[in-house]
Amino acid sequence: MTKQTQQPQSVFNGDLLKAAVIDSLRKLDPRTLWRNPVMLCVEIASLITVVTFAMSLTGANTEPAWFTGAVSLWLWLTVLFSTFAEALAEGRGKARAASLRKSRTDVTAKLLGTPEFTSSFTTVGASQLRKNDLILVEANEMIAGDGDVVAGAALVNESAVTGESAPVIRESGGDRSAVTGGTTVISSSIIIRITANPGETFLDKMIGLIEGAKRRKTPNEVALEVLLIALTVVFLLVCANISPLSIFSVTAAGHGTPVSLTILVALFVCLAPTTIAALLPAIGIAGMDRLFQKNVIALSGRAIEAAGDVNVLLLDKTGTITYGNREAVAFVPVGGHSERDVAEAALMASLADETPEGRSVVLLAQRKYDLVREISTTAELVEFSAETRLSGINTDGIRYRKGASDSIVAFVKKQEGGHIPRDLEQVVDKIARGGATPLVVCKDGDVYGVINLKDIVKSGIQERFLQLRSMGIKTVMITGDNPLTAAAIAAEAQVDDFLAQAKPEEKLRLIREYQEAGYMVAMTGDGTNDAPALAQADVAVAMNTGTQPAREAANIIDLDSNPTKLLDIVEVGKQILMTRGNLTTFSISNDIAKYFAIIPAALLSIYPQLGVLNVMHLASPFSAILSAVIFNAIIIPMLVPLALKGTKFRPMPAEKLLIHNLLIYGLGGIIAPFVGIKIIDMVIGLMV
Amino acid sequence: MNASEYLETIIFFLVLLAVTKPMGFYMAHVYQGERTVLSFVLAPCEKVIYRISGVTPEDEMDWKRYALSMVLFNLVLFGGLFTLLMTQHLLPLNPQKVPPFTWQLALNTAVSFVTNTNWQAYAGEQAASYFTQMVGLAVHNFVSAATGMAILIALIRGFIRRKTSDLGNFWVDMTRGTLYILLPISLIAAIFLVSQGVIQNVGAYKTVPLIQSTNYDKPKLDGNGAPLKDAKGTPVTENVLVTEVTIPMGPVASQEAIKELGTNGGGFFNANSAHPYENPTPLTNFVEILLILLIPAGLTSTFGVMVGNTRQGWGMLAAMLFLLVLAFGALQWAESAGNPLVAKLGVTGVNREGKDIRFGLAGSSLFTVGTTGTSCGAINTMHDSLTPLGGMVPLSLILTGEVVFGGVGSGLYTMLAFAVIAVFVSGLMIGRTPEYLGKKVEVREMWMSILVILTAGVTVLVLSSIAMITPAAVASMANPGAHGLSEVLYAIASMANNNGSAFAGLNANVNFYNLSGFLAMTLGRYVPAVAILAMAGSLAEKKYVPPSLGTLPTDRAPFVIWLVLVIVIIGALTFFPALALGPIVEHLTMGGN
């Protein structure tokens, strides 16, 4: 199977950079920038410094023009770096949206009156299709809109949406009936009932989401913005407060000059949480993009963040925890037969069995005893039937059979001389109790032994569950198996809990119970019968191969249809929040050093004693202030890669994680600017 | 600090810790309507009060009704006190025939007592009649304290209740707080104070001849009461000879007890707890500091009991205690270092100016940090006379928003707002939608917490800016330069944070301070109070999120340390420039750097 994986594009890809630079200039428009109030304040501050610079040039301001000019330049760069970060994050999505849009080029559709292949059709444009219209799609035609197959079956190439070039079967009825507009039918004809109006299709939604056009701020983002705006207002007042305080101090000290507007504005921008405010939009957009690289489409940013909060994970057993099919793992003899005899009989009984279980018996026999048998031409194949519930082969007058214990017992009892070994029941029970399926093998009336058919738990799944547990996430396995089997598999996979013989209404009840107890529940599903539970879950991941109802009930769609993706989604959700939190702490911690750079410099003319606060020994008041401004600006592009990639995620208990991040971003945030500002000051010293 | 002072300090903190838990459990029982040791006497009284006032105790209020009841109740009280102050010359129990308050001073004083600030731009013994003290001010000492506690209890209910809008009944919380907590303890404390020599009478002031006549330099005041200054800016004084002295009398003990217990701080006398009739002995000093901290410390435990995890309460107590001990240490260090200007004269050692010998350095420092860490505002030391860095300690305690135990109720609810902010940022840092005590912190909680913790700070920044460029405000300073700046900053901070202590050295009875103070005290009290109730309402509606390994525990050391850092960093970032231009530069100047 070839796969066009969504290549993670380099952050500093040349074309993307160029487009981002142009876009970042466009985003300076205050009508766009008001969505980021903190940066809008910085833009206004930059405008003020343009005025003070102009006044320096005309002599109306006594500060040297090189100083006001440089401050103004760097303040503008601060705003520009912020819009650039957002443009860069959007750029990657835009490139992908453009390629998706190509597959949506205006196609025509064959509109039918009745859902019959024989009825006549009229050709209409895709944009004229409405919900419940019926269309006919023939081989090598593109499907004009989202819908459900109501008649026929076809191979469909969905690479335009999923990046997966292997075609998939889409057929009416069952769990594989959903088709997506923009995909192509490769063979056969199908009739589709349209389920989405133009502009509301899956592809349209995807393009909108990727472009970030419809991106709405998540509640968490808004709450953080409240904090950032409040801090900005406080720092605005702090800077406004310095002016009258310094005017009074000049009178009191009898010398010096009140702090100038340029310096107040510079101090304000340095104190305001510009680092996090500048990178905030980029963090969210980049998070969705990272998920898209993993072939997951989140239908809202909220869904990803909710994923970060999930504390109960409902996982389907089959395909997620275990490989889809059971596998033979052992031959257990009964009635004095040898294990090799059992293997041979089992092999014979399975030769004609093309199911994965049957093939695994053949493989096991070959692996263990090097047994290879061919089906002789005279052999008569006995296929599994509902009445006998047995399968096997009749060859050279010998009847090999395998099947459930009671079926074989019934079969053997009918044979002449058939008898049931006394130890059979015990062996069968033992295997069943171990969570496996016992298949009994007989040769005519002689019961040889039992095949141990086991659900194979995916390798490495226990480690992932362990990680989840250390993050405080509980895993619950959902299975149709009986409780005995379920318990055994649950123990092996080390899930925290399981729901056996699960029916749709029981899944729904389970989710409601967890939610009632305050848990955030995530689940994966693909079938129509999963839809109610998906709609109820806080984070609902639908497989792209799933049915239309399942996809509509979900808020995240996995294009690869790989259920373990939930773990990745949880990780990205957490990363987004962590990146925001860490950069907020970093941004605020930075202020301490900036105070020590700017306050002594600003007040030196009034109180030379305050020179002792110049702990960094910065060369001159002007270079001290400029160094703080430059540091404040260049830290933004330096942190862009972190914002786009996200803070590294480590599964560990909350308290340890907090201490770890506080040491890096809190303590680091205090120390880094002291070093950075000093270095910039030294560089300025060399240049002047 | 000598050995006995160490011992006094250690014993004090041990006693405080020892009484925290019983006090906390008792108050939790009171507010949860459970039976207490005093129920056999007080329960019938409580019933009678409800019957007379027509209150149905089971009638639960949502946050809006609770807030409206609180605001209206306070408004009526304010109106009553304002009227009383304006008409005290017509009322009984006025042996000294003191005149009525001016309307500006009455406005300031009325709001000051209603908001639990007890800022006093007047001298108690000169301006207030006994009737005013007993019927006006003392009553407010009780109800303003009970109001603060009621708001806190409503917030705690918001944390523990699930999917409801009910926050309890304001009238019931007020009645229980006053009847079961404030009244009995005040009664016992007042009797104890009388036993130690605090006076309690309604007689006229006594004038007695001095054994030895004395003289002093009295600052000359202009028509507005502002100190006159010469061309150099130093105050003009005149020499006065004194041969006799008037000793004010009054019902002091009853008022003294609730003044400390309710973290009110409005002194009967101008000298407040430095006056020997208010605070005669080191023992009363010890007890008064204990009374100031008793309810705020106990409430941390009440909080722990009510949320069902006493460790949560201890965590809050640890954060508060850490900051208090830190402040105490800093003050002791600054005062022990002494005054370098005096040292040049050959007098080294502790800075003794403005301290009472009978309390000693530790007794003075402990009272100072206790009264400014809580929003009490009673004083036994002249804060204006502290060394610059020493003076910065009470100033900083006030500026950080009164959370180092803080006012009764208001201290802990402000602390909980800080905790919400701390939880929010730390929650993000560990990758979860932040939750505190099982309740998710969302946009509404952020808005409300920010209003709680920043209202006072913003008020201080704005009003101090205006003061610095208002000539009338600048003229009130007794000292020029950086120290004058500290005086103004302290006065505004004290009012905006509902502390009420004065740095002194500033003539506050002028229109600017009376009226801006009225605004500061009103905003500083009611914006946070209503915001807390709104947050309580929003929290109560939420469902409970059970803790898991992914939840940040808020009852353990890492979170407590983070909470302390958040408080210190927000405070420092907001006031660093102002502190640099006030106490810090004064210190550097004094040291001759």
Side-chain angles (χ1 to χ4, degrees):
Chain A
M1 216 187 282
T2 59
K3 207 164 164 301
Q4 320 162 344
T5 41
Q6 313 277 352
Q7 282 295 327
Q9 297 182 33
S10 158
V11 173
F12 294 110
N13 167 312
D15 289 342
L16 283 180
L17 275 181
K18 211 186 292 168
V21 168
I22 297 166
D23 214 30
S24 63
L25 286 168
R26 203 175 295 136
K27 282 175 183 285
L28 287 179
D29 185 339
R31 283 168 300 180
T32 320
L33 205 59
W34 74 266
R35 271 178 64 90
N36 190 343
V38 178
M39 293 322 290
L40 185 64
C41 288
V42 178
E43 187 170 42
I44 294 166
S46 311
L47 273 173
I48 294 172
T49 57
V50 171
V51 176
T52 62
F53 173 54
M55 284 164 68
S56 287
L57 289 177
T58 59
N61 180 353
T62 53
E63 288 169 302
W66 71 265
F67 171 69
T68 49
V71 168
S72 183
L73 174 73
W74 281 98
L75 292 191
W76 277 111
L77 282 174
T78 311
V79 191
L80 207 59
F81 287 151
S82 132
T83 55
F84 173 75
E86 189 178 345
L88 196 62
E90 285 176 354
R92 298 200 285 181
K94 275 187 182 157
R96 222 181 320 272
S99 75
L100 280 177
R101 206 173 259 130
K102 273 184 212 150
S103 61
R104 208 187 46 171
T105 42
D106 213 22
V107 290
T108 54
K110 296 170 178 168
L111 190 65
L112 293 172
T114 53
E116 280 154 35
F117 287 99
T118 49
S119 65
S120 62
F121 59 80
T122 48
T123 305
V124 297
S127 59
Q128 286 161 275
L129 289 177
R130 291 293 174 272
K131 262 187 195 170
N132 294 325
D133 281 350
L134 293 169
I135 58 167
L136 171 70
V137 188
E138 289 169 311
N140 297 320
E141 285 180 354
M142 192 178 271
I143 299 171
D146 288 4
D148 264 327
V149 180
V150 289
L155 270 180
V156 179
N157 178 353
E158 296 195 332
S159 65
V161 180
T162 63
E164 180 83 50
S165 62
V168 290
I169 291 174
R170 293 286 178 235
E171 58 196 356
S172 63
D175 288 351
R176 293 162 166 268
S177 63
V179 290
T180 309
T183 57
T184 312
V185 171
I186 295 178
S187 67
S188 317
S189 304
I190 43 176
I191 295 175
I192 295 166
R193 184 193 304 279
I194 295 293
T195 53
N197 290 329
E200 298 164 9
T201 65
F202 184 61
L203 208 59
D204 289 316
K205 272 191 209 158
M206 231 165 103
I207 293 169
L209 283 164
I210 297 165
E211 279 186 325
K214 280 192 189 160
R215 209 181 75 85
R216 285 178 46 203
K217 288 177 188 164
T218 62
N220 226 302
E221 212 174 345
V222 176
L224 178 57
E225 217 168 65
V226 167
L227 180 66
L228 298 183
I229 291 170
L231 285 172
T232 307
V233 169
V234 167
F235 289 130
L236 192 66
L237 290 171
V238 168
C239 294
N241 184 239
I242 293 175
S243 182
L245 290 185
S246 70
I247 291 170
F248 168 80
S249 300
V250 168
T251 328
H255 53 79
T257 47
V259 181
S260 76
L261 188 59
T262 315
I263 296 176
L264 289 177
V265 164
L267 178 62
F268 163 66
V269 174
C270 286
L271 293 179
T274 48
T275 314
I276 174 65
L279 297 173
L280 192 55
I283 295 169
I285 299 168
M288 286 186 107
D289 195 60
R290 278 205 303 284
L291 267 188
F292 192 74
Q293 278 165 22
K294 294 182 176 180
N295 259 349
V296 174
I297 305 281
L299 298 177
S300 71
R302 203 177 182 145
I304 310 178
E305 281 176 22
D309 287 344
V310 159
N311 34 25
V312 174
L313 218 56
L314 300 189
L315 296 161
D316 241 349
K317 182 201 79 178
T318 311
T320 311
I321 295 169
T322 62
Y323 291 105
N325 307 306
R326 287 173 297 186
E327 214 173 276
V329 291
F331 301 113
V332 186
V334 294
H337 291 283
S338 75
E339 194 178 330
R340 197 193 149 89
D341 292 341
V342 187
E344 193 164 358
L347 172 63
M348 292 308 294
S350 304
L351 273 181
D353 186 352
E354 282 300 317
T355 63
E357 281 93 355
R359 265 174 292 170
S360 80
V361 173
V362 176
L363 279 176
L364 183 71
Q366 186 183 0
R367 206 172 63 234
K368 271 201 152 169
Y369 295 103
D370 224 0
L371 293 171
V372 181
R373 296 286 183 276
E374 294 291 325
I375 306 173
S376 70
T377 47
T378 57
E380 183 195 339
L381 309 182
V382 179
E383 292 206 16
F384 184 86
S385 77
E387 300 95 73
T388 61
R389 298 197 294 140
L390 294 170
S391 68
I393 197 165
N394 298 338
T395 179
D396 305 326
I398 305 171
R399 285 175 292 185
Y400 295 95
R401 292 289 184 278
K402 72 173 196 299
S405 178
D406 49 347
S407 317
I408 294 288
V409 168
F411 174 79
V412 168
K413 278 186 175 162
K414 276 191 280 177
Q415 309 291 316
E416 213 171 299
H419 79 280
I420 309 299
R422 259 176 296 168
D423 54 349
L424 177 67
E425 196 181 325
Q426 194 194 338
V427 168
V428 165
D429 270 0
K430 197 179 162 200
I431 292 173
R433 264 201 308 277
T437 312
L439 274 188
V440 182
V441 184
C442 68
K443 186 172 168 188
D444 288 327
D446 198 356
V447 178
Y448 269 52
V450 188
I451 306 170
N452 185 341
L453 209 53
K454 226 180 138 193
D455 256 325
I456 301 299
V457 172
K458 286 186 174 176
S459 59
I461 200 96
Q462 291 98 335
E463 285 79 47
R464 294 210 86 165
F465 290 154
L466 200 67
Q467 282 182 0
L468 286 170
R469 204 164 303 129
S470 72
M471 285 152 53
I473 298 173
K474 189 174 165 173
T475 43
V476 181
M477 181 180 85
I478 302 216
T479 171
D481 293 342
N482 64 59
L484 207 65
T485 314
I489 296 168
E492 192 184 344
Q494 295 178 20
V495 291
D496 297 300
D497 205 350
F498 64 89
L499 178 69
Q501 288 165 343
K503 292 185 208 87
E505 60 272 18
E506 269 178 76
K507 290 188 203 175
L508 192 62
R509 186 186 50 80
L510 186 70
I511 294 178
R512 288 216 176 111
E513 265 175 27
Y514 275 120
Q515 286 175 334
E516 209 51 44
Y519 290 96
M520 287 283 273
V521 182
M523 83 163 275
T524 53
D526 49 6
T528 302
N529 62 9
D530 287 332
L534 282 171
Q536 180 70 31
D538 299 288
V539 176
V541 184
M543 304 296 114
N544 191 48
T545 52
T547 59
Q548 193 66 25
R551 286 181 5 179
E552 267 169 19
N555 48 19
I556 292 178
I557 291 177
D558 176 15
L559 299 178
D560 287 347
S561 305
N562 170 5
T564 51
K565 279 288 181 58
L566 246 178
L567 308 184
D568 293 323
I569 300 167
V570 168
E571 196 171 312
V572 171
K574 285 193 179 291
Q575 271 188 327
I576 292 176
L577 294 188
M578 279 166 65
T579 312
R580 280 188 199 138
N582 290 341
L583 288 181
T584 304
T585 305
F586 184 82
S587 194
I588 295 166
S589 306
N590 275 200
D591 284 357
I592 296 169
K594 291 169 189 166
Y595 262 136
F596 278 100
I598 295 181
I599 288 293
L603 301 174
L604 203 64
S605 74
I606 310 171
Y607 292 121
Q609 304 94 308
L610 285 174
V612 294
L613 294 181
N614 180 9
V615 289
M616 285 173 271
H617 299 288
L618 304 177
S620 73
F622 287 140
S623 97
I625 292 161
L626 194 55
S627 303
V629 170
I630 294 175
F631 177 84
N632 188 56
I634 60 170
I635 196 73
I636 296 171
M638 283 173 76
L639 290 173
V640 162
L642 180 71
L644 296 190
K645 284 185 196 142
T647 322
K648 192 157 184 263
F649 176 77
R650 297 153 211 273
M652 55 168 106
E655 202 166 63
K656 266 175 135 179
L657 194 59
L658 177 67
I659 295 171
H660 178 264
N661 284 341
L662 273 181
L663 286 178
I664 295 181
Y665 297 96
L667 195 62
I670 293 173
I671 297 167
F674 277 105
V675 178
I677 291 172
K678 178 69 188 171
I679 292 172
I680 296 168
D681 179 69
M682 283 157 69
V683 172
I684 293 175
L686 291 176
M687 284 162 60
V688 176
Chain B
M1 197 156 72
N2 58 39
S4 73
E5 287 187 316
Y6 270 118
L7 197 64
E8 181 192 343
T9 312
I10 291 167
I11 291 174
F12 176 80
F13 282 111
L14 288 179
V15 171
L16 180 65
L17 285 174
V19 295
T20 296
K21 193 172 161 180
M23 190 67 200
F25 275 67
Y26 175 71
M27 290 192 286
H29 285 307
V30 168
Y31 283 111
Q32 288 170 336
E34 291 154 12
R35 217 178 151 71
T36 64
V37 284
L38 295 177
S39 294
F40 73 98
V41 196
L42 296 176
C45 304
E46 194 187 342
K47 271 194 194 131
V48 170
I49 292 171
Y50 295 149
R51 197 169 311 140
I52 293 171
S53 51
V55 170
T56 316
E58 294 77 28
D59 181 22
E60 292 273 340
M61 299 177 171
D62 64 7
W63 81 264
K64 284 180 186 153
R65 230 180 111 205
Y66 203 102
L68 193 68
S69 307
M70 187 272 290
V71 170
L72 286 179
F73 180 61
N74 277 244
L75 205 61
V76 169
L77 286 173
F78 165 78
L81 182 56
F82 179 77
T83 315
L84 201 159
L85 293 174
M86 296 290 289
T87 57
Q88 64 172 350
H89 57 298
L90 307 172
L91 297 168
L93 281 177
N94 189 357
Q96 295 308 117
K97 308 269 176 275
V98 293
F101 281 54
T102 63
W103 71 264
Q104 297 94 331
L105 185 59
L107 202 64
N108 183 287
T109 306
V111 90
S112 164
F113 276 78
V114 172
T115 57
N116 198 253
T117 312
N118 298 33
W119 171 262
Q120 294 167 294
Y122 64 93
E125 62 270 46
Q126 289 163 16
S129 73
Y130 292 159
F131 190 81
T132 301
Q133 298 267 25
M134 291 164 77
V135 179
L137 307 183
V139 168
H140 285 81
N141 282 352
F142 282 96
V143 288
S144 67
T147 303
M149 287 153 76
I151 294 166
L152 171 70
I153 297 301
L155 175 63
I156 297 176
R157 291 198 187 109
F159 278 115
I160 55 182
R161 293 188 178 179
R162 295 164 197 182
K163 294 183 170 178
T164 174
S165 57
D166 297 343
L167 290 179
N169 184 307
F170 175 71
W171 310 113
V172 171
D173 292 337
M174 286 297 290
T175 310
R176 289 202 177 128
T178 312
L179 202 58
Y180 287 84
I181 300 166
L182 298 172
L183 274 173
I185 301 175
S186 301
L187 189 68
I188 298 166
I191 292 169
F192 168 79
L193 289 172
V194 168
S195 80
Q196 295 295 305
V198 177
I199 59 169
Q200 178 77 9
N201 62 52
V202 287
Y205 294 0
K206 294 193 165 61
T207 301
V208 294
L210 280 174
I211 297 166
Q212 184 185 8
S213 62
T214 183
N215 60 36
Y216 73 105
D217 288 338
K218 182 184 179 187
K220 276 183 143 173
L221 302 178
D222 64 13
N224 295 327
L228 275 177
K229 290 170 191 171
D230 64 13
K232 286 181 198 155
T234 42
V236 185
T237 58
E238 57 181 338
N239 200 274
V240 184
L241 181 71
V242 187
T243 57
E244 56 178 26
V245 64
T246 302
I247 302 175
M249 294 286 123
V252 179
S254 57
Q255 212 146 320
E256 188 67 20
I258 187 63
K259 174 190 104 179
E260 320 292 4
L261 182 68
T263 65
N264 293 286
F268 194 93
F269 303 116
N270 195 28
N272 211 307
S273 283
H275 195 293
Y277 282 170
E278 285 203 20
N279 188 7
T281 66
L283 183 61
T284 55
N285 192 52
F286 185 96
V287 171
E288 286 187 12
I289 307 171
L290 193 64
L291 282 175
I292 293 173
L293 294 169
L294 181 64
I295 292 181
L299 283 173
T300 61
S301 169
T302 305
F303 164 70
V305 172
M306 286 180 73
V307 299
N309 176 1
T310 49
R311 289 178 55 102
Q312 297 285 357
W314 291 118
M316 286 292 145
L317 185 79
M320 292 171 167
L321 210 52
F322 174 81
L323 288 168
L324 189 72
V325 171
L326 191 73
F328 175 71
L331 184 56
Q332 283 287 92
W333 169 78
E335 294 306 294
S336 301
N339 184 335
L341 298 181
V342 178
K344 278 183 201 152
L345 304 173
V347 183
T348 54
V350 174
N351 171 34
R352 299 221 178 265
E353 185 191 322
K355 292 186 184 61
D356 251 304
I357 299 296
R358 69 179 185 279
F359 305 137
L361 177 60
S364 303
S365 297
L366 206 52
F367 201 108
T368 301
V369 295
T371 195
T372 49
T374 68
S375 75
C376 182
I379 52 156
N380 78 348
T381 303
M382 271 297 144
H383 296 181
D384 198 29
S385 299
L386 297 171
T387 59
L389 292 185
M392 194 164 89
V393 172
L395 180 56
S396 304
L397 283 172
I398 295 173
L399 286 174
T400 45
E402 295 296 13
V403 290
V404 183
F405 290 97
V408 285
S410 64
L412 187 53
Y413 70 60
T414 310
M415 191 66 157
L416 290 172
F418 268 110
V420 166
I421 303 280
V423 157
F424 180 76
V425 178
S426 60
L428 288 185
M429 287 179 78
I430 59 165
R432 273 175 81 91
T433 300
E435 62 209 38
Y436 185 43
L437 300 171
K439 294 296 178 88
K440 285 220 150 114
V441 174
E442 288 164 306
V443 180
R444 198 176 165 89
E445 286 70 35
M446 283 306 283
W447 270 120
M448 295 309 142
S449 298
I450 280 167
L451 280 178
V452 174
I453 66 167
L454 292 182
T455 300
V458 165
T459 309
V460 173
L461 287 173
V462 172
L463 289 180
S464 64
S465 298
I466 297 171
M468 284 302 147
I469 49 173
T470 306
V474 173
S476 277
M477 298 178 190
N479 302 75
H483 194 74
L485 192 146
S486 302
E487 288 169 357
V488 172
L489 191 64
Y490 191 104
I492 292 169
S494 175
M495 290 190 277
N497 286 288
N498 301 130
N499 179 278
S501 71
F503 208 48
L506 181 79
N507 175 25
N509 187 15
V510 294
N511 284 346
F512 177 84
Y513 292 107
N514 275 337
L515 299 180
S516 68
F518 169 77
L519 189 70
M521 287 185 277
T522 310
L523 291 176
R525 175 74 164 185
Y526 296 107
V527 173
V530 173
I532 282 289
L533 290 174
M535 181 156 89
S538 157
L539 287 170
E541 303 270 5
K542 290 173 197 270
K543 62 181 182 187
Y544 174 77
V545 184
S548 71
L549 266 178
T551 316
L552 181 70
T554 50
D555 56 352
R556 290 165 53 88
F559 178 77
V560 172
I561 294 167
W562 169 238
L563 174 63
V564 168
L565 284 176
V566 168
I567 294 166
V568 171
I569 288 174
I570 290 183
L573 291 181
T574 314
F575 294 108
F576 184 77
L579 293 176
L581 283 167
I584 293 175
V585 87
E586 191 192 353
H587 169 76
L588 294 171
T589 310
M590 256 181 147
N593 285 347

